[in-house]
Amino acid sequence: MSSYNKETAADTLCGKLHIVATPLGNAGDLTPRAKSILERVPLVLAEDTKRAGLNFSRWGIKAKRLISFNDHSEEKKLEHALSFLQQGEDIALVSDAGMPVISDPGYLIVKACREKNIGVTVIPGACAPVTALAGSGIAPNPFTFFGFLPRKTGDMGKTLAPFAGIGTTLVFFERKDRIADTLKYLHTLLGSREVCLARELTKDHEEYILFNLENIPDLDRLLGELTVIIGPPLCRRKTPETEVTALIAKEKLLGGTPKQIAKRVQARCTGWTTSEIYALATRN
């Protein structure tokens, strides 16, 4: 039996960490259980205390105590939070919107609680990637979620290249000022794919924008943070040799041995084995 499932006398004295999903925008999506927990616990860890305070007021919740717990403070405040739990007090963890931990702070404290046999429970609710995927009309299974993609094009390519030839839907977040350039780059990397941009999820002006990477519309009017759904490859034709050769040339610029280059290129092609691509890469 895993040590996570064992209960000792000391464990029963500990408090519990409650991971609480909060609305993406529509206040009606806060569950009664979530509201009850946020009102009851003596301490709420919030990604942004000011934003959490405004939201709590809007939801009719009066938190006993709020402290910030974000990407910049998570490690520093982890021991304090664990000490609070070990003294028998419960804690709730919230992000700015949606489900904590999923591309938001919280992983470290959950991991630490599991290692120390401190109870963890999840109060489910809104989650932007799943909400956008469900409403997109693009094949949902399987899907891969990336959070925010790397900012540099080269790093973005390294992240997404292995998925170029795999039949999976890709989901990530992007900012409005980067979305057009990101999609243009993805067209060169992934080819023809269905796209859905989901914005203002659950709000009055919720919008799903559908198009193909070959025909990217004018996106200058968009506001806010976007959830992007990129569908799986539309066809499985064998990649022409000229395209494979061009990919090899691009990958050589990124460095690596011929075998490493061949593996990276093979992930972006269909109908080619790694050995065949290796032969092309090493051909004089």
Side-chain angles (χ1 to χ4, degrees):
M1 180 184 291
S2 167
S3 62
Y4 291 164
N5 297 322
K6 294 178 181 177
E7 186 178 88
T8 67
D11 297 335
T12 60
L13 299 176
C14 290
K16 181 177 285 187
L17 174 66
H18 302 265
I19 302 170
V20 183
T22 55
L24 299 173
N26 191 318
D29 292 335
L30 184 73
T31 67
R33 182 182 171 207
K35 183 176 182 181
S36 174
I37 291 292
L38 294 175
E39 288 176 329
R40 176 177 65 79
V41 297
L43 178 64
V44 177
L45 306 179
E47 188 176 0
D48 183 312
T49 55
K50 182 177 181 181
R51 183 173 297 181
L54 291 172
N55 282 335
F56 281 22
S57 177
R58 186 160 58 96
W59 302 331
I61 296 173
K62 187 174 182 180
K64 291 181 171 64
R65 182 185 173 197
L66 280 167
I67 67 171
S68 64
F69 199 77
N70 50 47
D71 290 333
H72 304 292
S73 65
E74 186 172 6
E75 289 189 37
K76 184 167 58 176
K77 295 184 178 179
L78 180 59
E79 288 305 318
H80 172 70
L82 291 173
S83 175
F84 199 81
L85 289 163
Q86 289 169 329
Q87 291 172 27
E89 301 286 358
D90 282 5
I91 289 178
L93 171 70
V94 297
S95 58
D96 287 345
M99 178 61 72
V101 183
I102 309 302
S103 195
D104 282 322
Y107 160 73
L108 292 180
I109 191 171
V110 174
K111 184 175 187 294
C113 285
R114 291 304 185 191
E115 291 172 348
K116 296 178 182 295
N117 290 314
I118 296 172
V120 178
T121 188
V122 178
I123 292 79
C127 179
V130 174
T131 301
L133 189 63
S136 68
I138 292 176
N141 296 315
F143 76 90
T144 304
F145 176 60
F146 296 92
F148 280 96
L149 294 176
R151 295 183 66 85
K152 295 182 179 178
T153 300
D155 293 335
M156 190 188 302
K158 290 178 182 178
T159 298
L160 293 178
F163 298 90
I166 300 175
T168 179
T169 292
L170 310 177
V171 184
F172 58 89
F173 297 141
E174 188 54 284
R175 295 179 177 85
K176 65 180 183 63
D177 56 326
R178 289 165 44 90
I179 186 63
D181 289 339
T182 296
L183 293 177
K184 288 175 185 176
Y185 176 70
L186 291 185
H187 181 234
T188 66
L189 185 70
L190 304 175
S192 179
R193 299 243 188 151
E194 293 179 294
V195 182
C196 176
L197 301 184
R199 58 181 295 272
E200 299 292 287
L201 289 171
T202 76
K203 301 178 184 178
D204 290 341
H205 300 291
E206 177 181 82
E207 186 177 18
Y208 289 84
I209 306 167
L210 296 158
F211 54 93
N212 191 287
L213 280 178
E214 291 182 341
N215 299 292
I216 301 172
D218 181 5
L219 303 175
D220 289 342
R221 67 180 179 82
L222 298 184
L223 298 175
E225 189 178 288
L226 305 168
T227 303
V228 185
I229 314 291
I230 305 290
L234 294 175
C235 62
R236 302 295 292 175
R237 67 180 178 85
K238 182 173 181 177
T239 305
E241 183 173 326
T242 53
E243 290 185 25
V244 177
T245 302
L247 287 172
I248 289 171
K250 289 182 180 179
E251 289 297 329
K252 282 183 175 179
L253 295 175
L254 297 176
T257 66
K259 286 185 178 180
Q260 291 171 331
I261 292 168
K263 287 182 179 180
R264 297 201 302 260
V265 172
Q266 196 275 333
R268 299 169 60 181
C269 299
T270 56
W272 290 80
T273 66
T274 302
S275 297
E276 290 171 334
I277 296 172
Y278 177 84
L280 280 179
T282 55
R283 187 172 65 187
N284 293 327

